Amino acid sequence: MEFVTGVKEKETLELHELMAKDLAGNTVKVNGAIHAIRDMGNVAFIILRKREGLVQCVSDEEITNFFLKDLKEADTVEVTGILINSEKAPGGIEIRISAVRILSEPAEPLPLAIGKWKLSTSLEAKLNYRPIALRNLRERARFKLQEGLVRGFRDFLYGEGFTEIHTPKIGAKSAEGGANVFKLDYFHRPAILQQSPQFYKQMMVGVYDRVFETAPVFRAEKHNTKRHLNEYTSLDFEMGYIDGFEEIMAMETGFLQYTMKLLKQDYGTELKLLDVELPQTDRIPAVRFDEIKRLVSEKYGRRIKNPFDLEPEEESLISRYAKEEWDADFVFVTHYPSKKRPFYAMDDPEDTAFTLSFDLLFRGMEITTGGQRIHDYRRLLEKMEARGMTGEGMEQYLSAFKHGMPPHGGLGIGLERLTMKLMEEDNVRETTLFPRDLSRLEP
Amino acid sequence: MEFVTGVKEKETLELHELMAKDLAGNTVKVNGAIHAIRDMGNVAFIILRKREGLVQCVSDEEITNFFLKDLKEADTVEVTGILINSEKAPGGIEIRISAVRILSEPAEPLPLAIGKWKLSTSLEAKLNYRPIALRNLRERARFKLQEGLVRGFRDFLYGEGFTEIHTPKIGAKSAEGGANVFKLDYFHRPAILQQSPQFYKQMMVGVYDRVFETAPVFRAEKHNTKRHLNEYTSLDFEMGYIDGFEEIMAMETGFLQYTMKLLKQDYGTELKLLDVELPQTDRIPAVRFDEIKRLVSEKYGRRIKNPFDLEPEEESLISRYAKEEWDADFVFVTHYPSKKRPFYAMDDPEDTAFTLSFDLLFRGMEITTGGQRIHDYRRLLEKMEARGMTGEGMEQYLSAFKHGMPPHGGLGIGLERLTMKLMEEDNVRETTLFPRDLSRLEP
């Protein structure tokens, strides 16, 4: 028997330790994967890939006691050497190798030139070689930034008094309904995968007032587009005691402000690697659905085809309009038509053809749907009845309303879309770690 | 068009604001759900439930301009009144009501006496009325503590250089294999729900060195016990460049130390409500599987029936032994037999019948399985071959190894079990927000 007492400091140093302390002239140890080898004859550069970036190690014939020929790309190694300051090296430091210990070796050479600045390969190839392609610095930086977005969401909401919840993904009945539901056999009973945590987060508003969840959702949509996924990460929150749906938009704006600051502060390396320009978030225009449709139609001479929904091209024009007229990267489109919103959406008492709801568009694409929900039990039943819904299988959801719910509302943000638009990519698969679409179930 | 500029301060105050500022004598506004009404004739107490706790509001006939008969339990209201300090009131404050505005009303009285200290009802009834039962202060406190466990996990790992990832739950092939897999139809192709993010987190070690995920996993096990769920939240991490599997145990110990401190600091209200005694984490004994089996068998006179696995009763005795001999709430059991571990587990080079792996037991129950993994491509293929595995459908996973992986290992922690043992509950459903088991698909 031995006691485990907690994390021990490692002998090997990470990049921030090498750069922070003045270690010049000292012997240090670092580990990493060999990202590239540049053999210049009498001197060779061995570039290590570590989680925080690259470390340049230099070997010249006189001081190294190993043979360069034994090393190759994708080996993982532990290098011992003297740290020196070097303006030319990445991060301003360089390690003069005195010894190299090989920790592991690949069985075959890499199928992609991951050491290059840009992976010059198709999206299809990148996805087929996903675990390898992601070793490219710029590819992996995307998902580090994605981490920042989720962190920002959670930390901001903790600060605003929200409670994090974990709701089941397998269920008997879907909140959103419709045909786009994955079905499975649950011990000989029919079950579904949840399209959203909608019912659960609403029920939990009655418990904690304010709740959020960051978890996968599943949509069996047969769309094969650049913006659809069949499984994605949804950032959801729901808040009670609101004075109006504007409070939900204000909370989302607060999240975006907080998170862009966080990215600037803690994810500078990745922002620079990807040349990301952070969007404006200090003021986000909110404009009515029917009004912006009209404005866009007038300004760009585009006929309104569908008065009840936004087509992708219209979303793009609305964002263009917001940029040109209000210098805005984001724009809230409010008061969506009631017939295009789910039963639980609260209609506008001033005109029940519209709802107290919104979408948030970011650089031409919808990334959020949100709004106020009906909180009164009888009104909820009425609206369900008007839509021909029976409430079967929704007894528990309805019971929360039967026994009292505060006025409330919330939203869901598609994480991969938010990431995609942040880095101005044109395909959501570029910012999905392992995408699931009509044809892709692997890796 | 209007601009949304971020979160605005609310006129209504939260409990910590009421208690922190010296507002005595001032008029304040608070909202909340009516948790209980105590009518004493010439004075009535209206107890509001807010996310941070209860607020006592007092009405006496002279100063109130509303009628008590209009109020009932589960109304949500906004109360205006004068704050006074009162030693007898919860939190030391009380609000002398001057006005009450009703925000919403229930359609029917509550089916459970949620205002009571302890819900005197069966687990079955609590689960059937889940959204209502959770409004009880002690019921909801459990899941607030659960939030703290997840927060602690993430914050600790961020600090240790881990990257958070989001991996797909629908896949073509399961990492753990076996029969306990939920199957679904994915656009006319067979698919499964992942039993763990094992393959993905390993692949991502080649990208970020250290990764973690907090997400649902799915197990189609037909066990109907107090410790099994068919869907649960798994806290997973995987770390590269390890010197041995002991480093994984050290990281888990670090997580537990960090998190117990966090609970003490930020979740004092809930710890007190539930009378939780935080476990010892400064040193956790680690003892070999065969050794602890022998020790327990000797001390408690129990014959070893199955030399390759631990039965629930044995887990319980091991924890008893650890408590009695080492004053420990946690105990690592190391070097599990190879035949009971998955193909990717690294065998102990000193005796390949055992693995460099461990379980962590907490107060009598396994809450973690972890260990070092095989990182060498050829050794991985050899072990798969020895087990009669073909590698079909695992090409992408294997490619990560083919192209170089550092020595690494990791673990998975069952969140609901960790919560259960923390509060010394005897059924994991007590600490699962909406449990999924053989018979339960709702709510």
Side-chain angles (χ1 to χ4, degrees), chain A residues 162-438:
Chain A
F162 284 74
T163 295
E164 179 174 12
I165 56 173
H166 304 276
T167 70
K169 304 310 157 200
I170 300 180
K173 176 113 183 169
S174 161
E176 308 296 330
N180 300 326
V181 182
F182 285 113
K183 295 186 177 78
L184 74 151
D185 175 75
Y186 190 83
F187 304 116
H188 309 300
R189 291 165 66 187
I192 56 91
L193 292 180
Q194 292 295 355
Q195 296 167 292
S196 96
Q198 186 62 33
F199 283 7
Y200 294 97
K201 60 181 185 162
Q202 284 190 269
M203 290 190 275
M204 293 307 291
V205 160
V207 175
Y208 291 121
D209 301 354
R210 296 180 162 191
V211 295
F212 75 87
E213 180 166 22
T214 58
V217 296
F218 307 90
R219 308 246 164 143
E221 289 176 359
K222 285 180 188 147
H223 297 306
N224 199 1
T225 75
K226 290 181 173 183
R227 52 196 268 158
H228 283 93
L229 292 167
N230 295 107
E231 175 177 350
Y232 68 87
T233 303
S234 186
L235 310 181
D236 272 276
F237 74 65
E238 198 78 12
M239 53 195 282
Y241 299 97
I242 57 171
D243 298 314
F245 79 103
E246 296 82 1
E247 221 173 310
I248 305 156
M249 298 194 291
M251 193 60 74
E252 180 164 28
T253 304
F255 148 63
L256 290 169
Q257 291 166 345
Y258 178 93
T259 303
M260 295 310 142
K261 223 175 275 174
L262 177 73
L263 292 185
K264 211 168 166 177
Q265 187 187 292
D266 286 6
Y267 295 83
T269 309
E270 288 76 20
L271 292 176
K272 214 175 142 191
L273 265 175
L274 294 168
D275 200 18
V276 170
E277 196 184 331
L278 291 179
Q280 293 285 348
T281 53
D282 22 307
R283 45 172 224 176
I284 299 181
V287 55
R288 284 185 64 101
F289 178 88
D290 46 11
E291 188 187 342
I292 192 72
K293 258 192 177 291
R294 184 179 51 77
L295 288 171
V296 158
S297 163
E298 284 169 10
K299 178 161 184 180
Y300 304 111
R302 188 179 184 280
R303 197 170 57 83
I304 295 172
K305 291 176 207 157
N306 180 353
F308 299 112
D309 210 350
L310 297 181
E311 293 162 72
E313 199 198 324
E314 243 173 335
E315 288 184 8
S316 169
L317 287 177
I318 292 171
S319 279
R320 187 177 147 195
Y321 187 95
K323 189 74 189 170
E324 289 173 1
E325 300 291 324
W326 305 309
D327 191 26
D329 295 303
F330 291 96
V331 53
F332 286 111
V333 178
T334 67
H335 299 87
Y336 268 65
S338 189
K339 64 190 290 187
K340 292 304 282 186
R341 292 300 212 201
F343 72 94
Y344 52 76
M346 186 179 272
D347 293 333
D348 185 352
E350 290 178 21
D351 182 351
T352 57
F354 297 94
T355 52
L356 298 177
S357 77
F358 63 92
D359 273 12
L360 178 64
L361 309 189
F362 178 26
R363 293 176 176 160
M365 185 179 292
E366 177 259 304
I367 59 155
T368 294
T369 295
Q372 184 159 358
R373 330 294 189 184
I374 301 172
H375 59 267
D376 184 81
Y377 179 63
R378 289 185 193 89
R379 283 178 62 191
L380 193 59
L381 290 188
E382 279 162 24
K383 191 148 172 201
M384 286 170 61
E385 208 184 316
R387 296 203 172 190
M389 294 171 66
T390 63
E392 200 201 314
M394 292 165 53
E395 294 78 7
Q396 299 268 2
Y397 171 70
L398 292 172
S399 81
F401 296 84
K402 194 193 286 176
H403 302 299
M405 280 284 280
H408 67 282
L411 55 75
I413 303 173
L415 174 63
E416 293 82 356
R417 282 193 182 182
L418 175 58
T419 319
M420 166 193 179
K421 283 295 160 182
L422 181 70
M423 42 203 69
E424 302 184 61
E425 284 293 341
D426 83 328
N427 192 317
V428 71
R429 291 162 186 79
E430 293 278 5
T431 53
T432 308
L433 204 53
F434 296 99
R436 292 290 174 263
D437 61 26
L438 276 181

Side-chain angles (χ1 to χ4, degrees), chain A residues 29-67:
Chain A
K29 270 190 187 179
V30 283
N31 56 34
I34 297 185
H35 196 60
I37 298 180
R38 278 185 226 117
D39 188 357
M40 326 284 272
N42 60 342
V43 61
F45 294 98
I46 293 164
I47 315 295
L48 293 189
R49 186 181 68 249
K50 298 180 65 58
R51 57 180 182 254
E52 297 172 310
L54 302 178
V55 178
Q56 181 165 306
C57 306
V58 197
S59 106
D60 70 45
E61 287 165 297
E62 285 167 54
I63 60 152
T64 55
N65 61 2
F66 72 97
F67 300 103

Side-chain angles (χ1 to χ4, degrees), chain B residues 29 46 65 94 103 140 143 196 214 218 229 274 315 395 414 426:
Chain B
K29 272 191 187 178
I46 293 163
N65 60 2
E94 195 172 75
L103 304 174
R140 78 175 185 181
F143 299 97
S196 95
T214 58
F218 307 91
L229 292 166
L274 294 168
E315 288 184 8
E395 294 78 8
D426 83 329

